[in-house]
Amino acid sequence: MAFCPSCGSEVGNAKFCQNCGSAIEQNSSPNSKFCSNCGSEIDYRAEICPKCGVRQVGVSSQSSEKNVWVAVLLSILIVGLGQFYLGLPKKGALLLILTIISWILIAFVIGIILYPLILIYGIYDAYTSAVAISEGKYVEDELFGGKFI
């Protein structure tokens, strides 16, 4: 089976794509697919196209059908729950652990300052992650880009 390098449509044995008119090369591998954005041939298991960097639909555990406001509401109720809902369990677990630590530190007054900061960050991260996922972008499952933790 051959695919169009421009649009990714199946073309069979045709020399030109019936969808976009591009010339077809007949040397694609059976373990490949084409990027939904740029049409480059990529491994069928690839989550991100190595050429253009766009996340491929239907590959990741992050679903584009997640509701932004549900993620925000869950993060308001329990910090980290919105991240679990979005398929970002490392972020969710870390935020939940930081929340528990801040509750313990309330006895030493610093938790009174720390908890609202964690809450605000958790809500902000749930919102921005949900928006990015709904736009089809890949979101790393690390807090602060993995720089601090």
Side-chain angles (χ1 to χ4, degrees):
M1 182 66 54
F3 296 92
C4 174
S6 296
C7 69
S9 299
E10 290 186 25
V11 293
N13 294 327
K15 294 185 180 187
F16 295 94
C17 177
Q18 295 175 351
N19 189 36
C20 70
S22 295
I24 308 300
E25 295 179 25
Q26 298 294 332
N27 59 357
S28 64
S29 144
N31 290 332
S32 65
K33 65 179 180 179
F34 292 87
C35 174
S36 60
N37 183 56
C38 70
S40 297
E41 187 174 0
I42 58 176
D43 187 85
Y44 74 97
R45 296 167 293 177
E47 286 188 27
I48 299 173
C49 174
K51 185 172 181 182
C52 68
V54 172
R55 184 176 68 84
Q56 301 304 298
V57 178
V59 177
S60 177
S61 63
Q62 300 173 353
S63 170
S64 61
E65 301 198 12
K66 299 292 185 177
N67 187 308
V68 173
W69 298 111
V70 170
V72 169
L73 181 62
L74 289 171
S75 280
I76 290 170
L77 294 174
I78 300 173
V79 180
L81 200 55
Q83 285 74 9
F84 281 111
Y85 168 74
L86 294 172
L88 305 169
K90 289 180 189 174
K91 275 185 178 182
L94 193 54
L95 284 169
L96 190 57
I97 290 167
L98 289 172
T99 301
I100 292 168
I101 291 170
S102 70
W103 288 342
I104 293 168
L105 291 176
I106 286 177
F108 301 101
V109 181
I110 192 163
I112 295 171
I113 298 166
L114 191 59
Y115 176 70
L117 294 175
I118 294 169
L119 176 66
I120 291 168
Y121 179 80
I123 294 168
Y124 170 77
D125 181 70
Y127 175 78
T128 56
S129 296
V131 168
I133 290 170
S134 68
E135 291 174 352
K137 297 177 184 172
Y138 179 76
V139 177
E140 286 290 327
D141 192 13
E142 296 177 340
L143 281 183
F144 313 112
K147 294 178 183 172
F148 300 106
I149 299 173

